[in-house]
């Protein structure tokens, strides 16, 4: 497998920068402890005291995504059946840092990538969450170049990803599945609200129950099949059936496209996560599920 590392930060981000921005723009919070929680592809995430987080984009592309969260998540959150990190403060550029940033609630739990929920209740909860989210989106919903789109528009990238697979039998099986899903009719309904980046590292589990959904930076609209691909990332075959029943709106074509999206995203995760074992593990498990 030919792999690539996570994108580098385009500007310096640090705990000290977070402290300076908070002190300037939210002096009432300046006395709270700041500590790194995660340093991902797009954001530096820091604890701010016991109840808050700071999300600081590492790249210009991610800054645009933070702006989408600030605009739309407070509007969507009240109708969703699981907690989401709707921003409580929209930060401004400052101290040489050029982009918007957010303060959001701290939601307790561990990521499902590390502690996957193995219960029908979790499958019902996630299916119900997506049923509540997947409603017709307004015309000014954030566009996205690679999510919510017809699968055929990912063909060039998928061909490159398939060529990177070292295991010949896996490569043949993946190529066959990819060709099959390209023949499935596309989404014909109105564009639906989508999370856009729904995978086990963006789901929280507490005491064995699904407790929150994180990171709406890729929020967009389009074909709901992309979000439904999480079923292959998180659940076994039996719990996928429970999830599908709880969602209630996935016809056979949508479900087949969801499997195709799971293949695409599994390939992306294993290819670009050499220095992120969590995401690499999600990718491997997803490919095992879709090709099994």
């Amino acid at each position: 497998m030919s792999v690539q590392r996570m994108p580098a930060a385009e500007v310096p981000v640090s705990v000290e920068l977070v402290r300076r921005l908070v002190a300037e723009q939210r002096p009432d919070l300046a006395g709270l402890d700041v500590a790194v929680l995660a340093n991902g592809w797009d954001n530096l995430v820091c604890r701010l005291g016991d109840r808050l987080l700071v999300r600081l984009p590492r790249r210009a592309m991610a800054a645009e995504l933070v702006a989408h969260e600030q605009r739309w998540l407070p509007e969507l959150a009240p109708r969703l059946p699981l907690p989401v990190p709707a921003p409580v403060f929209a930060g401004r550029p400052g101290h040489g840092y050029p982009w918007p940033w957010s303060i959001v609630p701290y939601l307790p739990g561990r990521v499902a990538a590390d502690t996957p929920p193995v219960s029908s209740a979790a499958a019902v909860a996630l299916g119900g969450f997506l049923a509540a989210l997947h409603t017709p989106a307004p015309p000014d919903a954030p566009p996205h170049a690679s999510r919510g789109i017809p699968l055929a528009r990912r063909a060039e990238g998928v061909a490159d990803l398939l060529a990177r697979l070292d295991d010949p039998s896996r490569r043949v099986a993946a190529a066959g599945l990819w060709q099959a899903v390209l023949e499935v009719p596309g989404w014909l309904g109105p564009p639906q609200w989508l999370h856009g980046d729904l995978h086990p590292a963006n789901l929280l589990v507490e005491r064995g129950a699904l407790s929150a959904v994180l990171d709406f930076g890729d929020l967009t609209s389009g074909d709901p099949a992309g979000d439904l691909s999480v079923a292959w990332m998180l659940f076994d075959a039996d719990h996928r059936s429970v999830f599908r029943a709880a969602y209630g709106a996935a016809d056979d074509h949508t479900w087949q496209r969801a499997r195709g999206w799971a293949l695409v995203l599994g390939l992306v995760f294993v290819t670009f996560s050499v220095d992120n074992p969590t995401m690499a593990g999600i990718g491997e498990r997803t490919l095992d599920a879709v090709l099994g």
Side-chain angles (χ1 to χ4, degrees), residues 159-218:
D160 177 64
L161 295 170
L162 288 171
R164 296 170 184 256
L165 286 174
D166 292 332
D167 183 338
S169 61
R170 201 182 214 188
R171 186 166 60 246
V172 169
L177 174 59
W178 176 242
Q179 290 304 313
V181 297
L182 286 178
E183 297 175 4
V184 175
W187 175 249
L188 298 178
Q192 306 287 292
W193 274 119
L194 308 178
H195 179 281
D197 194 26
L198 194 61
H199 55 67
N202 283 336
L203 299 169
L204 289 184
V205 176
E206 189 174 29
R207 299 191 180 114
L210 196 64
S211 60
V213 181
L214 307 179
D215 197 350
F216 284 73
D218 286 300

Side-chain angles (χ1 to χ4, degrees), residues 91-242:
R92 306 178 304 277
H95 294 279
Y97 181 76
W99 302 316
W101 54 280
S102 294
I103 299 177
V104 303
Y106 171 72
L107 300 173
R110 297 185 63 187
V111 295
D114 296 333
T115 56
V118 288
S119 68
S120 294
V124 169
L126 189 53
F129 176 87
L130 288 180
L133 175 63
H134 289 173
T135 57
D140 57 340
H144 201 295
S146 61
R147 305 295 172 94
I149 61 175
L151 275 168
R153 287 171 55 185
R154 300 291 302 251
E156 183 176 352
V158 169
D160 177 64
L161 295 170
L162 288 171
R164 296 170 184 256
L165 286 174
D166 292 332
D167 183 338
S169 61
R170 201 182 214 188
R171 186 166 60 246
V172 169
L177 174 59
W178 176 242
Q179 290 304 313
V181 297
L182 286 178
E183 297 175 4
V184 175
W187 175 249
L188 298 178
Q192 306 287 292
W193 274 119
L194 308 178
H195 179 281
D197 194 26
L198 194 61
H199 55 67
N202 283 336
L203 299 169
L204 289 184
V205 176
E206 189 174 29
R207 299 191 180 114
L210 196 64
S211 60
V213 181
L214 307 179
D215 197 350
F216 284 73
D218 286 300
L219 184 74
T220 188
S221 64
D223 180 1
D227 278 358
L228 296 176
S229 66
V230 72
W232 283 264
M233 302 179 195
L234 192 61
F235 300 126
D236 61 22
D238 289 341
H239 288 114
R240 281 198 294 274
S241 296
V242 174

Side-chain angles (χ1 to χ4, degrees), residues 279-290:
M279 296 307 296
I282 293 171
E284 291 290 346
R285 291 190 296 274
T286 302
L287 291 181
D288 287 344
V290 297

